[in-house]
Amino acid sequence: YNPKIVIQGTLIPGQIAQVRLRRNVPLNVIADPNDMILRNANAEIIDEDGNSFLMRHNTVNQMYEAGQLRVDYGKTYTLQVQAVIDGKDLSATSTTTVPQQGFEVLEEKSRLGSMVYRSRDALGGLINFSIVVERSPGTDFYPASVTSLNADTSSFIYDNPFADLDSDDVLDDLIDFKYNYTWIQDAPLTAGESFIDIFSFFTWFYGDYQVVVYAGDRNFKDFLLTFEQIQEIDGNFHEPALHIDGDGIGYFASAIADTAYFTVLRE
């Protein structure tokens, strides 16, 4: 065990610059989540022109915020953090470059609106909800979070081809069914349109869904693609791809976000 600063933060144009700072703990202790929050860290974000923006700890949401920073498209930002953990002076640094302006969901070209669960076309093929996005030049990674806004045991689609469950099973894993995500990667680095299909194994409930689509930078991409792939065949572990120098783990990334909605009907 080595003490580390745990960083979680994604800069998004038009939103307050926020970063969650916590600490790691040894595996052989019972951890209280409140004790993992770093409340007295020194954190700042430096833009590509050398301007420094001090981050202050918000005791309501437990985030460090740089309220004066205007996150802009295509700009580079560096996070610097210092903290004392277990009596040791630790520091961590990470840099992200915000994707170029131009990304958006093209709702008029997407298949959204309302549709019966697993609808089929005239030839019997499944019809999926789908989202068309205008790409951000220089960005090849576009993840999408799919959230059921009506997730409950009463709205769960029990007649599905993927799992035979009862209400107790659904309640036990409600969070896993409610939140899903998908992505497209290695998209062309030029402006243009790309498609994201929302397959039916992402829609476990009848009702309304929110889809937040991102154009993600390299840090966003590398962490999302590797954070679950950390165990070798022989059982040994390795870190995910972390673009943090010094005594830090986690991610400091940037993205552009846009939101769409659709509805799964019973009939």
Side-chain angles (χ1 to χ4, degrees):
Y1 162 75
N2 291 304
K4 296 286 186 180
I5 300 169
V6 181
I7 299 170
Q8 292 176 272
T10 302
L11 301 184
I12 297 178
Q15 297 185 12
I16 294 176
Q18 294 182 322
V19 177
R20 188 182 305 278
L21 298 176
R22 295 182 293 179
R23 59 160 295 170
N24 66 339
V25 294
L27 290 175
N28 61 344
V29 302
I30 298 176
D32 183 339
N34 289 322
D35 294 337
M36 299 169 67
I37 300 170
L38 292 181
R39 296 178 173 85
N40 297 305
N42 294 316
E44 62 180 343
I45 293 179
I46 302 171
D47 67 16
E48 59 187 32
D49 298 319
N51 300 307
S52 177
F53 300 87
L54 182 66
M55 306 196 78
R56 301 186 182 278
H57 182 237
N58 185 327
T59 57
V60 176
N61 59 16
Q62 302 299 339
M63 302 284 282
Y64 282 78
E65 300 176 342
Q68 302 302 313
L69 172 60
R70 180 183 180 275
V71 178
D72 204 358
Y73 301 97
K75 302 296 184 180
T76 298
Y77 300 93
T78 298
L79 172 70
Q80 295 184 346
V81 183
Q82 294 84 37
V84 177
I85 300 177
D86 294 345
K88 296 183 178 181
D89 293 323
L90 305 181
S91 63
T93 302
S94 184
T95 298
T96 182
T97 299
V98 182
Q100 297 287 339
Q101 190 170 12
F103 169 77
E104 64 175 326
V105 171
L106 303 176
E107 292 197 22
E108 70 279 4
K109 296 186 176 182
S110 302
R111 184 182 292 118
L112 296 166
S114 301
M115 187 163 53
V116 173
Y117 179 67
R118 290 177 64 84
S119 291
R120 296 182 180 272
D121 59 25
L123 298 177
L126 284 173
I127 304 173
N128 296 311
F129 291 100
S130 64
I131 293 176
V132 180
V133 299
E134 178 67 29
R135 296 189 298 271
S136 167
T139 299
D140 68 351
F141 184 63
Y142 299 90
S145 65
V146 183
T147 302
S148 169
L149 301 179
N150 307 115
D152 188 77
T153 54
S154 62
S155 61
F156 187 81
I157 304 172
Y158 293 97
D159 185 14
N160 70 79
F162 308 112
D164 183 13
L165 305 172
D166 60 25
S167 59
D168 290 336
D169 298 324
V170 174
L171 191 60
D172 287 342
D173 295 314
L174 187 66
I175 296 299
D176 292 333
F177 291 122
K178 178 177 180 177
Y179 299 104
N180 289 275
Y181 69 95
T182 184
W183 69 86
I184 56 173
Q185 65 187 71
D186 301 324
L189 295 174
T190 56
E193 297 175 4
S194 288
F195 300 81
I196 303 174
D197 281 318
I198 308 298
F199 298 106
S200 55
F201 48 77
F202 296 128
T203 56
W204 291 95
F205 301 88
Y206 297 112
D208 299 326
Y209 284 80
Q210 174 184 274
V211 183
V212 182
V213 190
Y214 302 87
D217 79 323
R218 181 191 66 164
N219 297 4
F220 197 124
K221 174 183 179 180
D222 288 351
F223 186 81
L224 185 62
L225 295 182
T226 63
F227 83 98
E228 290 183 323
Q229 310 298 324
I230 59 171
Q231 188 171 23
E232 306 287 354
I233 295 176
D234 61 6
N236 287 318
F237 291 91
H238 63 263
E239 286 185 339
L242 307 178
H243 295 285
I244 299 175
D245 296 323
D247 306 305
I249 57 176
Y251 64 89
F252 177 63
S254 58
I256 306 171
D258 201 2
T259 305
Y261 298 88
F262 65 84
T263 302
V264 177
L265 302 175
R266 292 179 182 269
E267 56 183 10

